[in-house]
Amino acid sequence: MSSRHLSRSIAMQSLYEWDFFDQKEDLKKIVEKNIKEFGPGLENNDGFVWQLVTGVIQYLKEINSIIEKAAPQWPIDQINIVDRNILRLGLYELLFGDKEAVPPKVAINEAIELAKGFGGESSGRFINGVLGTVFKEIEK
């Protein structure tokens, strides 16, 4: 597994845990614990994890609004917690991240891979559908 994919996995797991506890836990402590537990060797090269987590938090309201517009039949609080946080990561990379480091199609593919690894049976299709819809809109 590449270190960037591992970093995305750790960021998603951290956001999941933070979201699971109604965003009341200390996110910094959650991320530090998850890097130590799931990313041996990343401790000295954990910048990408922090970039993802802080980016999602910085743009959380905008990202949630985009999810609600792209998937109107799914209110944000009714989306599976794993899928919701994969969408947040994917949308952060797709809309606000460094496009040269992570081109849009790579951001979408990485989110789909996270969904296949952590989500339910239909998570990959759901993530692909929402991110694909947003990508088509930003291409216009």
Side-chain angles (χ1 to χ4, degrees):
M1 181 183 302
S2 77
S3 65
R4 285 187 151 247
H5 185 74
L6 178 59
S7 295
R8 284 182 183 93
S9 296
I10 292 170
M12 190 280 300
Q13 289 170 301
S14 300
L15 290 166
Y16 169 92
E17 187 175 340
W18 178 70
D19 200 12
F20 181 81
F21 290 109
D22 296 322
Q23 304 174 358
K24 291 182 172 109
E25 297 292 314
D26 184 345
L27 183 56
K28 184 174 190 272
K29 288 181 183 178
I30 292 170
V31 174
E32 288 170 349
K33 173 186 65 93
N34 286 339
I35 289 171
K36 188 175 182 180
E37 186 173 337
F38 301 115
L42 277 183
E43 295 92 347
N44 298 326
N45 192 18
D46 61 359
F48 189 55
V49 174
W50 287 108
Q51 176 188 337
L52 293 170
V53 170
T54 57
V56 167
I57 298 308
Q58 178 182 353
Y59 294 103
L60 187 62
K61 287 183 180 170
E62 293 96 327
I63 289 169
N64 285 347
S65 175
I66 292 164
I67 293 170
E68 289 172 345
K69 288 176 186 158
Q73 66 281 19
W74 289 96
I76 194 85
D77 60 337
Q78 290 182 10
I79 297 173
N80 171 316
I81 194 168
V82 172
D83 293 352
R84 180 169 60 227
N85 286 289
I86 293 171
L87 282 173
R88 287 172 174 163
L89 275 173
L91 285 168
Y92 166 72
E93 285 196 278
L94 186 63
L95 300 172
F96 306 107
D98 180 354
K99 306 287 186 295
E100 288 186 29
V102 183
K105 291 187 179 183
V106 172
I108 292 169
N109 287 336
E110 283 292 326
I112 293 167
E113 288 304 311
L114 285 174
K116 288 178 181 176
F118 292 98
E121 191 175 306
S122 61
S123 293
R125 288 189 307 277
F126 178 66
I127 299 298
N128 186 35
V130 174
L131 294 181
T133 298
V134 173
F135 180 65
K136 287 176 188 168
E137 284 297 314
I138 62 174
E139 278 192 314
K140 291 181 182 176

